[in-house]
Amino acid sequence: MTIRHFLTTQDYSRAEIDALLDQAAAFKRSRQGKQMAGKSIALMFFNPSMRTRTSFELGAFQLGGHAIVLAPGKDAWPIEFEAGTVMDGDTEEHIAEVARVLSRYVDMIAVRAFPKFIDWNEDRKDKVIAAFAKHATVPVVNMETITHPCQELAHAMAMREHLGDLSKKKYVLTWTYHPKPLNTAVANSALLIATKMGMDVTLLCPTPDYILDERYMAFGRENAKANGGSLRVSHDIEEAYSGAHVVYAKSWGAIPFFGRWEEEKAIRDANKHFIVDEAKMALTDSGLFSHCLPLRRNVKATDAVMDSPACIAIDEAENRLHVQKAVMASLLAGQ
């Protein structure tokens, strides 16, 4: 029997995504369920978390299940992921054993593992979660690696709640300043889900250096074509915001400078004006604003924007709980 994982929404059809969102809406109306009664999930955190850990632990509990939280290298043994390596360094056990042993204990494994931020050609291979999926004999869920599919679903759910049918709605994914270069995961995922929902998507960024990895741009173009939307790139703030129905903000590092962040710093510092403020939102068509959180106020977006009725970031954050329950229930139902 083939195991179904939840690693990226690109592995799921539009109909399957809609079904997950419908199930999430049902869970939002009635939080308690029995879909995980007697079941368990191991939550593997290689990086910090607040919303992700809380929503997965609570989600499992509300469905009658149990979550085990592990932080390899902190409260669990450091794990080796390279095949054929001589393990004479800091790692104590290999993923080939870890994934198979956990599969004997639990019914699902969820993984949060950010890039190493040294070499994008290596990081884009997503080796950690790929290794779990290879060796596990239970479903594996992506809690954020180089994409963040659970955030995608929560974002889509929040937009549907406020706008209804998302087809042909103008969606702006805007780069924003941050003092540190960040993972492209949420930006990649926002691009994937907005195009999959048939929206007219504009990727707004300061220079061509900030265009996302071609893998995700290509997926976006494929999604747009299949679902009646569009995808384009803009470096013009006023033109991009004009008439937008949704503005989604995220900061990310420029891939050409990946691992050489100091060389990128001057570009980032020169574009602090990409902050989402009242003047820019006034250009939209009564547009909604959102962000995955955490957000540095008055760096990525102003207080006025964050505290406005147009901001649906809290709705999106709440929806993490509901969509993740839908994902877990779906994976267990398929076993």
Side-chain angles (χ1 to χ4, degrees):
M1 178 180 175
T2 301
I3 300 171
R4 187 81 188 269
H5 301 300
F6 186 71
L7 307 182
T8 170
T9 56
Q10 283 305 111
D11 294 337
Y12 283 67
S13 69
R14 171 64 190 274
E16 289 173 323
I17 295 295
D18 286 339
L20 287 173
L21 293 175
D22 290 342
Q23 178 61 74
F27 282 135
K28 191 168 187 174
R29 292 189 295 270
S30 179
R31 294 195 176 196
Q32 304 301 316
K34 298 180 179 180
Q35 289 85 348
M36 287 187 67
K39 304 290 185 178
S40 58
I41 182 170
L43 307 177
M44 307 291 290
F45 286 99
F46 293 84
N47 296 95
S49 172
M50 194 276 277
R51 277 155 295 277
T52 299
R53 175 174 175 174
T54 304
S55 54
F56 265 104
E57 283 199 67
L58 280 175
F61 172 76
Q62 290 176 2
L63 294 184
H66 185 71
I68 302 292
V69 178
L70 298 168
K74 295 179 181 178
D75 59 16
W77 296 116
I79 302 171
E80 177 60 54
F81 291 93
E82 295 292 339
T85 189
V86 176
M87 291 175 56
D88 56 1
D90 295 332
T91 53
E92 291 291 342
E93 57 182 334
H94 200 276
I95 184 59
E97 286 77 60
V98 173
R100 288 185 293 168
V101 169
L102 283 176
S103 296
R104 303 280 180 101
Y105 293 156
V106 300
D107 301 282
M108 284 179 288
I109 300 170
V111 179
R112 184 178 180 91
F114 295 170
K116 299 292 186 183
F117 297 109
I118 297 173
D119 181 351
W120 176 244
N121 288 325
E122 283 299 307
D123 281 342
R124 75 193 299 272
K125 296 175 184 177
D126 230 0
K127 287 183 176 180
V128 173
I129 198 164
F132 271 100
K134 176 182 177 180
H135 295 288
T137 56
V138 296
V140 174
V141 179
N142 185 345
M143 296 194 296
E144 189 179 3
T145 58
I146 60 172
T147 59
H148 200 344
C150 293
Q151 192 74 48
E152 290 179 49
L153 295 184
H155 181 41
M157 183 177 178
M159 290 192 293
R160 290 207 320 182
E161 289 170 334
H162 288 268
L163 296 175
D165 183 11
L166 300 178
S167 299
K168 304 303 293 180
K169 293 291 194 296
K170 183 176 180 181
Y171 179 98
V172 177
L173 169 59
T174 180
W175 179 91
T176 54
Y177 171 77
H178 189 283
K180 301 176 182 178
L182 302 178
N183 189 1
T184 58
V186 172
N188 293 335
S189 282
L191 190 80
L192 295 181
I193 200 65
T195 52
K196 183 153 282 194
M197 303 307 289
M199 304 180 83
D200 287 327
V201 179
T202 297
L203 173 64
L204 173 63
C205 53
T207 72
D209 291 325
Y210 289 90
I211 296 174
L212 298 172
D213 185 282
E214 177 54 26
R215 173 196 294 167
Y216 300 103
M217 297 301 293
F219 282 149
R221 290 190 292 268
E222 291 172 15
N223 289 346
K225 183 177 180 181
N227 294 284
S230 62
L231 172 61
R232 66 189 189 91
V233 175
S234 175
H235 308 301
D236 185 326
I237 292 174
E238 290 191 7
E239 181 274 335
Y241 272 80
S242 180
H245 299 104
V246 180
V247 174
Y248 200 60
K250 190 67 182 78
S251 184
W252 63 87
I255 288 176
F257 294 95
F258 203 85
R260 299 180 291 110
W261 304 125
E262 285 306 309
E263 296 177 38
E264 182 204 343
K265 187 176 185 300
I267 304 174
R268 282 188 285 121
D269 289 350
N271 287 286
K272 293 181 180 181
H273 62 286
F274 270 73
I275 185 172
V276 183
D277 56 26
E278 290 174 283
K280 295 184 186 70
M281 290 302 296
L283 299 171
T284 70
D285 184 3
S286 301
L288 301 172
F289 170 77
S290 198
H291 186 279
C292 63
L293 304 181
L295 177 141
R296 295 195 183 204
R297 282 176 173 242
N298 303 307
V299 173
K300 291 184 180 180
T302 62
D303 285 333
V305 170
M306 287 299 295
D307 295 331
S308 75
C311 180
I312 61 169
I314 302 302
D315 293 338
E316 179 173 330
E318 179 196 341
N319 288 345
R320 289 289 305 281
L321 173 64
H322 312 306
V323 299
Q324 286 158 196
K325 287 162 71 174
V327 168
M328 291 188 288
S330 172
L331 292 175
L332 287 174
Q335 286 183 304

